[in-house]
Amino acid sequence: MPLPPLKIVSARAKDPKNVTLEGYLANGGYQGLRKAVLEMNPEDVRDQVMQASLLGRGGAGFEAGRKWSMLKKSDIRYLVINGDESEPATFKDHMLVEADPHQLVEGALIAGYAIGAARVFIFLRGEFALGFERVQNAINEAYEYGAIGRDIFGSNFSIDLVLHPGAGAYICGEETALLESLEGKRGFPRIKPPYFPAVIGLYGQPTIVNNVETVANLPWIVKNGASAFTDLGGGRSRGTRMFALSGQVNRPGTYELEMAKNTFRDIIFDPEFGGGLRPGRSLKAIIPGGVSAPWLGPDQLDVVLGQDEVAAVGSMLGSGSIIVMDDSTCMVRAAWRISKFFARESCGQCTPCREGGSWIEKVLNRIESGAGREEDLDLLMDLCDNIVPGVSWPPQQTTICVLGPSIPSSVAVSIKMFRDEYLTHIKEGGCPYD
Amino acid sequence: MSRFTKEMESRAHQILALYPERRSATIPLCHLAQEQNGYLTEESMIQIAELVGTTPAEVLGAASFYDMLHTEPVGKYVVGVCTNIACLLQGGEELLSHAEEKLGIPTGATTDDGMFTLEDMECIAHCDHAPALQVNYRFFGPLTNDSFDTLVDDLSAGKLESEVPPHGTLSRVQRKHPIAVPLEEIVRHRRDSDAKEGERLAAKAAAESKEGSN
Ligand SMILES: Cc1cc2nc3c(=O)[nH]c(=O)nc-3n(C[C@H](O)[C@H](O)[C@H](O)COP(=O)(O)O)c2cc1C
Ligand code: SF4
Ligand code: FES
């Protein structure tokens, strides 16, 4: 049985008043920022975050405290909040931004104080029009309230915060592409090294890039202390996590769950959460962590939803999304659609990603439409091998960013799990699910 | 009429002043130009280049990378149907075919009356409302063929003007505050507070090593 959920980042999400400053303050808003700037030194905030073992919520799961400690010393350093959320089936930041815009602003300001940022930018996905309006309004209100600007809350600390719109490109979620985009250019990822943002980031200055949900945890951590946070969860995975559940499940939606305490089975089948599958349907596969992650089968339902626990079975917790596919779904079609996404969104800088991605899409499309040949399965594996040598997981990186190396995982795993289904398409000259 | 109006130009200058480097305003200004004209005209790109200090070719080069920036005219309403995985599982592709039929245009085209442009989108992060779509980046879903028809009819009849502004208007809420503290002043401040932090940390380390040697 899953434990009753203790909510951190979505605690106020259901209260519509919360989008205004008045509502947010009535719900205890800005107490964390107040405490940070009036009662704590920046290094105390950094210590708390380090002790909290707050893993980044953007996908890679890198500890926020450790990332901050790697920021190169420099008079000018920047903080950029990554609100570009475009990983397929990931929609938790969408919810957080619309339902609790002040929490994002407060969290961003706490992070800005902790690292001594010269300015904070929130990069918000362009397609989040309502979210943009809500966050811009929150920023306007926060300036008037004295939470942003000169001597915030009468402390000696001053900072400005700018909301910046994206314009539609998945790759801009990758942090160095995001910085290029914020500088007014095409979203081409930068080569690392040397362009690690913490060393050479925005305008060439050391920069921290943190995800929306990551910083949304900060007001709570500062208010309640790191040990209250580490009381939740287990292993390296502490606090809670927003999960975005979608696909063929009765109650798709965002669910905030204590880390490392629940399983895939809990979130998919518990009536409080996913509520199970449609009548008469059975589970075929789940895609955790975004479409870059290898799929899992029904025999892996009891895997615990924690960073290392999901990694241990060869996949990843990633962006916290979980896609449910039942037995009415064609696995070739699912793999094809994912490959189409990558082929469309490749920025084109690296040959394996640009060429490999579109070849894989074409071959999968051919199989799905009934013109596949038996050699196509070997061809697909060969194409995968050209992008990621040995088709290993986690993938060996031969490209500038990890979009390219993400392409093979769904192809390779679907062939491994559902080879018969591929062969049926080829033998019958069409999709058995059509 | 395609360069910024007086009012828009003053908004453009407010945006430019938010960034340590002008070029960062490129994409916000492209959005602003779309708000004025519905799409990104050649004259706009020339003017944006002047404002941000690059060339028109660089503005076009950047703009052409992004799906939301249109260098050709589009309809008053850009309808983007998501066909990515979560929507695919719930009938997103079928919804897109139905949309083509209802609007009488193929994906990518604009209706003759200039009202609708139809697009096939990647995941719009509304997957718990699959199959989902956006009209001018405002969310709708889950949709059936019937509710899609109603949506289009309501848009045509002008019933949703308050929910969905014409294409190009990203946000109806404007930033009210200029940068409060100039970057140079902040940098002086940070230098100061970094020095103090260094002293605190050194004192703490000294105290700890003393404790350790006791
Ligand atoms: C192709 C690609 C897309 C990404 N998209 C996002 C995104 O939409 N949002 C996000 O926060 N991180 C995204 N990331 C991860 C970022 O590069 C970065 O690791 C993250 O923003 C760091 O924040 P965190 O440490 O707080 O998680 C993406 C990475 C890659 C390679
Ligand atoms: S791996 Fe793909 S998306 Fe990443 S930089 Fe190379 S071409 Fe661009
Ligand atoms: S897959 Fe359609 S909104 Fe996410």
Side-chain angles (χ1 to χ4, degrees):
Chain A
M1 267 301 284
L3 299 165
L6 184 142
K7 291 183 177 157
I8 295 178
V9 292
S10 69
R12 292 169 299 259
K14 291 231 158 61
D15 179 0
K17 288 194 304 295
N18 194 55
V19 300
T20 64
L21 177 68
E22 205 191 336
Y24 186 65
L25 290 174
N27 286 331
Y30 287 107
Q31 289 174 6
L33 178 64
R34 241 176 226 288
K35 181 172 171 188
V37 298
L38 295 176
E39 298 168 27
M40 295 167 85
N41 288 316
E43 67 271 24
D44 304 331
V45 179
R46 296 201 304 272
D47 279 350
Q48 287 291 305
V49 172
M50 185 75 102
Q51 284 165 29
S53 178
L54 173 63
L55 305 183
R57 293 342 191 201
F62 195 83
E63 250 175 83
R66 262 183 68 211
K67 184 186 280 191
W68 293 359
S69 74
M70 287 156 66
L71 185 62
K72 191 173 163 242
K73 289 218 161 32
S74 162
D75 286 346
I76 303 188
R77 48 212 189 247
Y78 291 108
L79 173 67
V80 179
I81 306 304
N82 190 342
D84 195 48
E85 190 175 66
S86 327
E87 179 71 28
T90 306
F91 47 98
K92 43 125 191 150
D93 295 341
H94 172 198
M95 190 284 283
L96 290 174
V97 159
E98 281 184 8
D100 208 344
H102 276 287
Q103 174 176 255
L104 167 61
V105 169
E106 184 180 0
L109 292 166
I110 292 173
Y113 176 69
I115 66 161
R119 196 165 290 173
V120 182
F121 295 91
I122 298 178
F123 185 107
L124 195 62
R125 182 172 178 186
E127 288 89 344
F128 291 172
L130 178 62
F132 194 96
E133 291 178 342
R134 295 240 166 112
V135 178
Q136 187 58 67
N137 183 61
I139 292 171
N140 291 345
E141 289 182 323
Y143 266 99
E144 275 147 33
Y145 178 60
I148 318 180
R150 191 178 288 279
D151 292 338
I152 66 178
F153 297 142
S155 71
N156 231 345
F157 182 73
S158 306
I159 197 160
D160 279 285
L161 189 158
V162 173
L163 178 62
H164 181 94
Y170 165 68
I171 192 59
C172 290
E174 195 278 339
E175 56 190 10
T176 60
L178 183 145
L179 296 177
E180 284 285 299
S181 184
L182 183 49
E183 290 180 5
K185 303 171 205 157
R186 295 170 158 247
F188 281 161
R190 298 171 176 171
I191 295 176
K192 295 151 284 216
Y195 293 102
F196 288 111
V199 183
I200 310 174
L202 185 63
Y203 313 126
Q205 302 291 349
T207 301
I208 292 292
V209 182
N210 270 141
N211 169 259
V212 164
E213 185 189 341
T214 308
V215 296
N217 276 287
L218 297 175
W220 195 96
I221 292 176
V222 168
K223 215 158 85 180
N224 300 285
S227 63
F229 195 77
T230 52
D231 282 348
L232 303 169
R236 272 198 321 135
S237 305
R238 297 294 170 169
T240 63
R241 185 88 207 239
M242 291 299 307
F243 290 97
L245 182 67
S246 68
Q248 288 148 337
V249 56
N250 283 326
R251 289 162 39 89
T254 49
Y255 298 100
E256 180 171 9
L257 299 181
E258 188 176 345
M259 277 270 237
K261 284 286 152 70
N262 301 279
T263 62
F264 284 105
R265 188 188 303 284
D266 295 330
I267 194 169
I268 295 170
F269 289 97
D270 192 275
E272 287 280 305
F273 309 126
L277 311 185
R278 292 175 296 178
R281 288 290 162 207
S282 63
L283 183 71
K284 203 161 172 185
I286 44 188
I287 313 180
V291 295
S292 316
W295 307 357
L296 299 174
D299 53 328
Q300 283 153 317
L301 273 172
D302 293 312
V303 172
V304 169
L305 297 167
Q307 194 78 24
D308 297 328
E309 290 81 351
V310 181
V313 294
S315 188
M316 64 175 183
L317 200 57
S319 62
S321 68
I322 299 171
I323 305 169
V324 177
M325 299 192 283
D326 72 20
D327 58 351
S328 69
T329 296
C330 170
M331 296 292 107
V332 180
R333 193 157 175 242
W336 160 73
R337 186 59 185 83
I338 292 170
S339 72
K340 181 178 168 195
F341 166 76
F342 285 124
R344 260 168 109 164
E345 298 296 331
S346 166
C347 84
Q349 287 188 100
C350 322
T351 315
C353 173
R354 183 187 63 237
E355 302 297 325
S358 63
W359 270 103
I360 286 174
E361 189 269 327
K362 284 196 187 89
V363 177
L364 284 171
N365 192 21
R366 175 161 84 199
I367 298 175
E368 170 64 8
S369 64
R373 299 173 294 226
E374 217 166 317
E375 314 85 84
D376 281 349
L377 295 190
D378 289 338
L379 176 60
L380 282 170
M381 288 311 291
D382 205 41
L383 288 164
C384 287
D385 187 70
N386 285 338
I387 303 174
V388 175
V391 201
S392 56
W393 181 267
Q396 188 188 331
Q397 193 178 332
T398 57
T399 47
I400 296 174
C401 87
V402 297
L403 185 148
S406 302
I407 301 171
S409 59
S410 58
V411 186
V413 84
S414 65
I415 292 178
K416 195 167 149 223
M417 289 170 78
F418 302 102
R419 194 179 185 90
D420 286 349
E421 200 166 315
Y422 275 89
L423 293 174
T424 308
H425 278 76
I426 292 165
K427 284 191 198 115
E428 292 180 5
C431 176
Y433 293 87
D434 274 348
Chain B
M1 149 70 199
S2 150
R3 286 174 73 90
F4 286 124
T5 60
K6 274 254 139 43
E7 188 216 326
M8 286 302 213
E9 200 173 329
S10 95
R11 273 176 64 190
H13 284 288
Q14 286 165 11
I15 291 170
L16 282 159
L18 300 175
Y19 298 97
E21 292 187 12
R22 284 192 289 167
R23 188 168 176 178
S24 282
T26 304
I27 286 163
L29 294 188
C30 288
H31 280 302
L32 194 69
Q34 293 205 136
E35 179 172 340
Q36 179 178 301
N37 303 316
Y39 75 106
L40 201 51
T41 65
E42 234 177 277
E43 289 95 322
S44 290
M45 287 188 272
I46 293 170
Q47 189 181 15
I48 290 169
E50 289 162 12
L51 289 166
V52 304
T54 55
T55 63
E58 280 174 301
V59 175
L60 174 63
S64 61
F65 187 80
Y66 297 98
D67 293 341
M68 291 175 73
L69 302 176
H70 294 270
T71 51
E72 298 287 332
V74 288
K76 178 177 176 190
Y77 297 116
V78 174
V79 178
V81 179
C82 174
T83 58
N84 206 311
I85 183 78
C87 289
L88 179 97
L89 296 173
Q90 307 282 34
E93 293 209 314
E94 292 76 8
L95 180 66
L96 182 64
S97 320
H98 175 77
E100 291 186 330
E101 225 168 88
K102 166 78 181 169
L103 296 172
I105 46 170
T107 302
T110 301
T111 54
D112 286 340
D113 60 1
M115 279 296 278
F116 295 99
T117 297
L118 183 61
E119 290 184 345
D120 163 14
M121 284 182 100
E122 294 299 344
C123 176
I124 50 179
H126 205 41
C127 327
D128 49 346
H129 293 74
L133 62 77
Q134 291 196 313
V135 182
N136 297 348
Y137 310 106
R138 272 72 186 170
F139 289 103
F140 295 90
L143 287 136
T144 58
N145 288 354
D146 286 346
S147 62
F148 179 83
D149 293 352
T150 311
L151 174 63
V152 168
D153 295 343
D154 286 352
L155 286 164
S156 302
K159 284 192 202 161
L160 292 175
E161 307 241 301
S162 62
E163 284 91 337
V164 187
H167 180 258
T169 302
L170 190 69
S171 173
R172 289 159 299 178
V173 180
Q174 309 315 325
R175 185 182 171 103
K176 284 196 197 150
H177 304 82
I179 293 296
V181 188
L183 204 61
E184 306 77 63
E185 190 187 328
I186 293 259
V187 171
R188 275 201 308 279
H189 243 267
R190 297 291 184 267
R191 216 175 275 151
D192 229 41
S193 50
D194 285 353
K196 285 195 194 126
E197 183 181 312
E199 284 163 22
R200 283 195 303 271
L201 293 175
K204 201 173 148 204
E208 269 165 18
S209 79
K210 213 169 142 198
E211 226 168 72
S213 65
N214 277 348

